[in-house]
Amino acid sequence: MKLVLKNPENFVGQKISIFKKEVPCLDTAWHYHAEFELIYISRSSGIRFVGDSVAHFSAGDLVLVGSYLPHLWRNEETYYESEGNLMVETIIMKFTSNFMGTDTFDNPEFNSIKNLLEQSKFGVSFSAAIANQLNVELMDITAVSPAEQSMSLLNILYRLSLTSPEDRIVLSSSDMRQFSTESPDRLDSVIRYISENYRSDITLSDVANIACMTTNSFCRFFKKMTNKSFTEFLNEIRIRNASRMLIQESTPISEVCYNVGYKSIPNFNKQFKAIMGETPKGYRYNL
């Protein structure tokens, strides 16, 4: 998995690119690009990374990613192991800030959209209710002409810009945009390793070795790049996967604890409450 500055050939010279992706599993590259991106997951589930945010996603996930903000939607392991039984369906709307013309969003009537695009530098997730309201427009947008796509995208952005704070979640806690063209392969390898091995007993030495760094150098590097310590990041991966299991499965909580890599139930409960705001039992009860 490599953090790369993407400049796809099919977007060169364009201001808008809208398409549906139907694949067995999502791209595993942690990446960023100059364009804004509105992503609607109509069929898929897994863990979403946007800036320093780590969260579970499922069908109905609707997120606006700002330009140069690193992001990754990574499916659950079963998608990569599947022999075609599981499929992903995603609507991807990639666009520049001037897709409706130069300085269009500087006009007062589009002020709310301008503010939304500014907020998107942190990544913005919209509630299931909002995604459901826009479902028809989102699913139909790939089937219309380019002119209609531009008008439809403008309408969608306008409606999203009017959503209440309760229906809009800012994802990254800090500005994690990457303006360098260099690809930090070390971080990329570490994120993939953690995502694939979080159930195991991963140590700081393990990930420092993956990055070919000393533990002290790695700690400084990882904190700078993710705004989290290695332990904080690992806990988030484990707890987000645990929350998915609590939603989708009837597995006993103690078994979920061990399935995501914890050896102590009290520690699991403590970390779960710190990240999710309630205990695993309370989380499952309130579903």
Side-chain angles (χ1 to χ4, degrees), residues 11 15 17 33-39 64-68 71 92-99 105 113-114 116-121 153 157:
F11 200 84
K15 294 183 178 181
S17 176
H33 37 71
E35 301 78 30
F36 295 87
E37 194 168 35
L38 183 62
I39 302 169
L64 177 62
V65 177
S67 58
Y68 298 104
H71 54 281
I92 298 172
M93 292 151 277
K94 190 174 290 188
F95 57 96
T96 63
S97 60
N98 63 344
F99 79 95
F105 297 131
I113 296 180
K114 181 180 181 179
L116 176 62
L117 295 180
E118 173 62 22
Q119 191 177 49
S120 74
K121 68 183 179 184
L153 177 59
L157 290 174

Side-chain angles (χ1 to χ4, degrees), residues 72-83:
L72 158 66
W73 272 247
R74 182 173 177 81
N75 285 124
E76 300 159 14
E77 291 88 342
T78 50
Y79 281 83
Y80 303 99
E81 299 166 357
S82 171
E83 296 181 355

